[in-house]
């Protein structure tokens, strides 16, 4: 047996030659077939950090942790909401690499998370970073909601959105809603106006405005209501002659189910093409 020590872990070839004491044999040894393998040493220390862990693309419910090591290793992140206390389940990737990236999901908005990065090489050596932290973004919200310009078939919804990529206005005659209107918004706080159309007159509508973050997560808004105006109807219409006036006069009176302006149009029976209007 022969122990060969090599400096690098790469592919090598070996063969064994034999010879006797004759000059011919010493000048032309007899060789065996060549064998090849890649020798691998055993490391006793974990790979070192070449770039420290950093939180990237932090949103309301997600974050990515990136770091690099001097040799290939797997990737793990232990994290939690208290310093030094981490969740039982770690985020993990078994793929061996030097550039590590782990995505954390199902986080809570506006929450400070503590984490450490871990990596284990092929020889079972595990390295651990120092404890670091990041805070998730605030959940998007909608405030200052009001309804104006209510008519018999439409209404204007005014509101201010903050941190939302879009909002969804749910509306209907019950809490089952049935109608929805999606409006793109800017993450920067700003006021918005949305019109609901095709409504029924004299009807109570239930509505809410949900906000959506950049990842499409939806946050529930407050359930509110408004009532459309009733369609104007006239009843108790009366005509009565006014006596004691210089010219013949008729008083027209009526009631309506809502405040209205009214136009009374009239003409002589013998001349219907000439219409006169009186506005109330």
């Amino acid at each position: 047996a022969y122990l060969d020590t090599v400096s690098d872990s790469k592919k090598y070839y070996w063969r064994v030659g034999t010879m006797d004491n004759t000059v011919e044999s010493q000048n032309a040894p007899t060789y065996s077939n060549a064998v090849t393998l890649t020798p691998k040493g055993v490391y006793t220390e974990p790979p070192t950090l070449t770039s420290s862990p950093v939180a990237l693309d932090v949103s309301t419910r997600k974050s990515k942790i990136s770091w690099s090591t001097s040799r290939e290793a797997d990737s793990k992140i232990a994290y939690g909401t208290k310093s030094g206390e981490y969740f039982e389940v770690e985020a993990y990737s078994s793929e061996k690499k030097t550039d590590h990236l782990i995505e954390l999901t199902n986080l809570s908005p506006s929450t400070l998370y503590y984490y450490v990065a871990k990596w284990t090489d092929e020889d079972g050596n595990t390295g651990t970073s120092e404890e670091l932290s990041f805070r998730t973004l605030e959940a998007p919200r909608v405030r200052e909601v009001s309804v104006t310009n209510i008519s018999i078939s439409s209404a204007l919804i005014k509101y201010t959105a903050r941190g939302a990529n879009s909002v969804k206005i749910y509306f209907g005659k019950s809490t089952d809603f049935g109608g929805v209107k999606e409006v793109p918004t800017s993450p920067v706080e700003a006021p918005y106006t949305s019109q609901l159309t095709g409504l029924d007159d004299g009807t109570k509508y239930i509505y809410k405005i949900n906000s959506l973050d950049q990842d499409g997560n939806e946050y529930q808004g407050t359930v509110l209501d408004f009532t459309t105006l009733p369609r104007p109807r006239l009843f108790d219409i009366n005509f009565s002659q006014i006596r004691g006036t210089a010219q013949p006069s008729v008083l027209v009176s009526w009631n309506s189910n809502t405040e209205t302006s009214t136009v009374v149009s009239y003409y002589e029976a013998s001349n219907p093409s000439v219409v006169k209007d009186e506005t109330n």
Side-chain angles (χ1 to χ4, degrees):
Y2 172 75
L3 175 63
D4 194 4
T5 302
V6 295
S7 58
D8 296 318
S9 179
K10 59 184 179 182
K11 196 172 188 179
Y12 289 89
Y13 295 86
W14 290 268
R15 65 179 179 174
V16 179
T18 61
M19 55 188 174
D20 56 24
N21 291 328
T22 64
V23 174
E24 292 81 0
S25 178
Q26 291 176 356
N27 291 335
T30 302
Y31 289 103
S32 69
N33 293 331
V35 295
T36 181
L37 59 82
T38 301
K40 293 185 178 182
V42 176
Y43 289 101
T44 58
E45 297 291 335
T48 58
L49 282 173
T50 56
S51 66
S52 298
V54 61
L56 305 173
D57 301 331
V58 180
S59 65
T60 55
R61 294 184 178 272
K62 293 182 181 180
S63 179
K64 295 177 181 177
I65 309 298
S66 172
W67 73 98
S68 299
T69 53
S70 59
R71 301 194 313 274
E72 290 186 343
D74 64 12
S75 311
K76 295 182 285 289
I77 293 292
Y79 64 105
T81 55
K82 292 183 179 180
S83 177
E85 299 182 18
Y86 308 119
F87 302 136
E88 183 176 349
V89 177
E90 298 177 340
Y92 173 69
S93 172
S94 61
E95 184 178 359
K96 297 287 194 296
K97 54 176 62 178
T98 56
D99 294 323
H100 307 265
L101 185 66
I102 291 287
E103 184 174 27
L104 305 179
T105 58
N106 296 323
L107 305 178
S108 298
S110 301
T111 302
L112 180 63
Y113 284 90
Y114 298 89
Y115 71 95
V116 294
K118 299 179 180 180
W119 56 95
T120 302
D121 65 14
E122 60 185 355
D123 297 319
N125 303 298
T126 298
T128 304
S129 73
E130 64 177 341
E131 184 180 73
L132 300 163
S133 65
F134 66 89
R135 184 180 293 275
T136 51
L137 299 182
E138 179 185 4
R141 60 193 181 99
V142 173
R143 60 188 184 88
E144 298 176 351
V145 180
S146 63
V147 183
T148 62
N149 293 25
I150 301 174
S151 70
I152 61 174
S153 61
S154 65
L156 211 58
I157 311 295
K158 294 184 177 181
Y159 52 94
T160 297
R162 176 179 177 179
N165 276 40
S166 65
V167 300
K168 287 184 178 180
I169 304 175
Y170 293 89
F171 62 98
K173 299 175 183 178
S174 70
T175 52
D176 292 333
F177 302 108
V180 60
K181 182 182 182 74
E182 185 166 3
V183 182
T185 59
S186 167
V188 179
E189 183 174 75
Y192 296 90
T193 300
S194 301
Q195 187 174 37
L196 303 181
T197 58
L199 308 178
D200 294 336
D201 63 281
T203 303
K204 181 179 179 179
Y205 279 89
I206 311 297
Y207 75 100
K208 65 177 180 178
I209 305 178
N210 289 359
S211 53
L212 286 79
D213 64 18
Q214 65 189 56
D215 298 319
N217 298 305
E218 191 165 340
Y219 298 83
Q220 297 295 315
T222 303
V223 176
L224 303 167
D225 65 81
F226 67 88
T227 301
T228 54
L229 296 180
R231 188 173 300 277
R233 295 179 178 84
L234 304 183
F235 55 91
D236 295 337
I237 302 174
N238 291 304
F239 297 87
S240 57
Q241 184 176 356
I242 301 177
R243 302 182 182 278
T245 58
Q247 296 180 346
S249 300
V250 173
L251 176 65
V252 182
S253 61
W254 64 90
N255 289 319
S256 63
N257 61 338
T258 185
E259 292 185 354
T260 63
S261 59
T262 309
V263 177
V264 178
S265 300
Y266 61 99
Y267 54 88
E268 294 181 11
S270 60
N271 191 8
S273 61
V274 180
V275 180
K276 297 181 181 180
D277 294 328
E278 295 292 341
T279 302
N280 176 270

